[in-house]
Amino acid sequence: MITVEQAERLIQAQVQDFGTELIPFESALGRSLAEDITADRDLPPFNRVTMDGIAIAYSTIEQGITSFKIKATQAAGDQPINIDHADECIEIMTGAALPDSADTVIRYEDIEIKGSKATLLASDIKKGQNLHLKGVDKKKNEVVASAGQLITPAIISLATSVGKVELLVKKLPRVVIVSSGDELVDVDEKPSLTQIRKSNSYTIKAVLRQYGLEGDLLHIPDDPKITKEKIAHCLDNYDVILMTGGISMGKFDYIPKALEEMQVKTLFHKVHQRPGKPFWFGKHDSGVLVFAFPGNPVATFMCLHRYFLPWLNASQGLSDKQPVYAVSDRDFTFMPALQYFLQVKLSFSLQGQILATPIEGNGSGDFANLADTDAFMELPMERDEFKQGEAFRIWPFNQLMI
Ligand code: AMP
Ligand code: MG
């Protein structure tokens, strides 16, 4: 049996590059950007007005003029309208392009308009105020987002603002999610008293979808012959096989043997951890990787976040995520010589600390507890006592929370 760190190292040694592809920006959220995006013109592209009000030439105020004749009104998108005389102004809206003859914008709150005259109410007008000048954010051809960045809503904002209809992204592996077990029925079936719905498959699918990855689903009954046939099909059609169930010591746990017989080499079987001790990882000569997680829902969920997602991130060329630590808000004891992944609820202190409240639940079968928690806290194997106030690494699984 190996340690969590050893398992992590063996998995990270199998990072693969699946190439790149061009995809529409609408489908790019969560993907890994594989090109630098550059500005197709200055950002902003013109001297942009940032307040509704009037545009004037500041020199007029220096001459002591405080009342302006409104020459015209200019909306965002209109061609700039120039001032012909010093005591004129243009009524102008946020987002409009400042005319060359003006250099300052005074907001409505600081003027009084009567008929076609605008009179200053405020005296602290500064030259150049209420403007977002051409090119101050980025110059034409300057990089606005870099290869290796995760495509977030902010990257979509930049890409679309510079007219990128398609984005070059890292290709995702073709993934199949394989459930196994004769006790399993589908979600829309009515289980008998002794049957279970195959929720793990949909849990994995949902987690992968956060990365823009659509995993296919497949089910294997507890039958050695069919197990081998289905594994052969997966090896032919996918880059990664994610399995749940059938890898423990049970009489019907045929998967490790079937994988070996199909020339998938065991890279490890069993890790000093709870949950997820029977975790199996292997590789076929063709390069196909097999992550076989124990069927217990919490074990599958933990192994997916602790091992598969970091592998996926690395394979996608995404810059390493910084480890996240949280401070335990109470003492905790865990005696077995295993690395324990404790389920915790997160909260945030006013000092900016992440606080973790352990919510133990009833072991790796108790997935109801997952809905009340936000992360796994990885507790060092060599210790039994963990004190309130100590910080430990966490593996968050509520993407929108942290
Ligand atoms: P196994 O690893 O096959 O021994 O399964 C361990 C436990 O997890 C058993 O209680 C199974 O019924 C359950 N289990 C296995 N696969 C799934 C699945 N896809 N969805 C939900 N529970 C599962
Ligand atoms: Mg089983």
Side-chain angles (χ1 to χ4, degrees):
M1 210 178 320
I2 59 171
T3 64
V4 168
E5 286 70 30
Q6 286 167 327
E8 180 178 32
R9 246 180 281 128
L10 287 166
I11 290 170
Q12 287 295 325
Q14 298 302 330
V15 161
Q16 293 178 9
D17 187 343
F18 298 96
T20 59
E21 61 183 336
L22 263 182
I23 59 166
F25 70 83
E26 286 101 330
S27 341
L29 195 63
R31 300 289 296 269
S32 170
L33 188 61
E35 62 174 333
D36 289 345
I37 299 179
T38 53
D40 65 331
R41 51 186 187 152
D42 283 354
L43 268 184
F46 48 81
N47 292 331
R48 191 177 68 88
V49 170
T50 62
M51 286 283 178
D52 301 316
I54 56 168
I56 57 143
Y58 186 76
S59 56
T60 321
I61 294 181
E62 287 178 321
Q63 289 161 29
I65 294 173
T66 55
S67 213
F68 302 87
K69 191 168 153 281
I70 300 170
K71 180 188 167 188
T73 301
Q74 188 191 323
D78 286 352
Q79 284 300 314
I81 305 166
N82 270 309
I83 299 166
D84 303 315
H85 304 287
D87 64 346
E88 278 180 353
C89 70
I90 305 295
E91 208 173 331
I92 203 157
M93 305 302 136
T94 302
L98 186 78
D100 289 341
S101 50
D103 58 10
T104 300
V105 170
I106 304 167
R107 49 184 202 152
Y108 278 131
E109 292 88 327
D110 294 334
I111 54 175
E112 185 184 52
I113 294 185
K114 277 208 178 119
S116 62
K117 237 188 171 63
T119 305
L120 284 189
L121 298 176
S123 56
D124 57 342
I125 309 299
K126 291 187 189 64
K127 186 175 180 181
Q129 70 178 26
N130 299 328
L131 291 170
H132 187 190
L133 294 180
K134 179 175 189 288
V136 285
D137 297 343
K138 297 284 175 188
K139 294 275 180 264
K140 183 178 175 175
N141 297 328
E142 210 178 314
V143 172
V144 296
S146 309
Q149 279 190 279
L150 176 71
I151 301 180
T152 59
I155 302 288
I156 298 282
S157 166
L158 279 165
T160 51
S161 76
V162 303
K164 290 287 285 185
V165 177
E166 289 186 314
L167 298 175
L168 190 72
V169 298
K170 284 282 196 179
K171 256 193 195 160
L172 290 163
R174 296 166 301 163
V175 175
V176 61
I177 302 160
V178 181
S179 54
S180 73
D182 285 347
E183 77 282 23
L184 299 178
V185 298
D186 224 320
V187 186
D188 54 0
E189 288 176 68
K190 189 161 171 50
S192 71
L193 185 67
T194 52
Q195 288 176 322
I196 297 282
R197 294 193 181 90
K198 48 174 101 132
S199 58
N200 284 355
S201 313
Y202 300 99
T203 315
I204 297 175
K205 203 172 162 66
V207 172
L208 299 191
R209 200 169 276 151
Q210 296 172 343
Y211 289 73
L213 204 165
E214 280 300 330
D216 290 343
L217 297 180
L218 190 90
H219 182 73
I220 300 184
D222 290 327
D223 174 297
K225 188 164 164 285
I226 303 177
T227 300
K228 273 169 68 174
E229 285 165 12
K230 298 261 183 173
I231 288 172
H233 165 80
C234 292
L235 288 170
D236 282 345
N237 291 284
Y238 296 93
D239 302 306
V240 176
I241 307 176
L242 296 182
M243 309 187 91
T244 103
I247 53 157
S248 304
M249 304 297 285
K251 229 174 171 167
F252 308 104
D253 290 337
Y254 298 118
I255 298 221
K257 188 156 172 281
L259 285 165
E260 289 275 1
E261 284 173 13
M262 297 309 295
Q263 271 72 54
V264 184
K265 211 173 121 237
T266 306
L267 293 175
F268 65 75
H269 189 190
K270 297 197 179 133
V271 181
H272 274 293
Q273 61 183 9
R274 182 177 293 170
K277 192 159 132 198
F279 179 24
W280 189 101
F281 178 63
K283 185 185 184 181
H284 189 256
D285 282 346
S286 61
V288 177
L289 293 177
V290 181
F291 294 76
F293 307 131
N296 269 317
V298 180
T300 284
F301 201 60
M302 189 285 280
C303 291
L304 190 68
H305 285 85
R306 177 64 180 88
Y307 300 103
F308 177 70
L309 294 185
W311 173 88
L312 183 63
N313 271 318
S315 292
Q316 290 290 291
L318 291 168
S319 13
D320 265 353
K321 269 196 184 165
Q322 234 193 308
V324 184
Y325 291 83
V327 174
S328 181
D329 73 353
R330 63 200 62 182
D331 292 347
F332 188 78
T333 305
F334 181 75
M335 303 298 266
L338 295 168
Q339 189 127 11
Y340 190 46
F341 288 85
L342 172 66
Q343 289 179 60
V344 292
K345 175 125 198 95
L346 301 179
S347 58
F348 305 97
S349 78
L350 288 176
Q351 288 73 39
Q353 256 181 350
I354 306 175
L355 301 177
T357 306
I359 300 184
E360 262 220 282
N362 303 306
S364 51
D366 180 7
F367 59 94
N369 200 40
L370 285 176
D372 297 324
T373 54
D374 306 303
F376 291 104
M377 187 173 232
E378 187 172 332
L379 300 176
M381 184 166 67
E382 54 290 351
R383 292 174 47 188
D384 301 335
E385 306 276 345
F386 307 93
K387 292 281 168 224
Q388 177 186 2
E390 282 190 281
F392 299 103
R393 186 157 186 194
I394 55 165
W395 298 86
F397 48 76
N398 276 342
Q399 218 198 21
L400 293 179
M401 167 138 193
I402 189 165

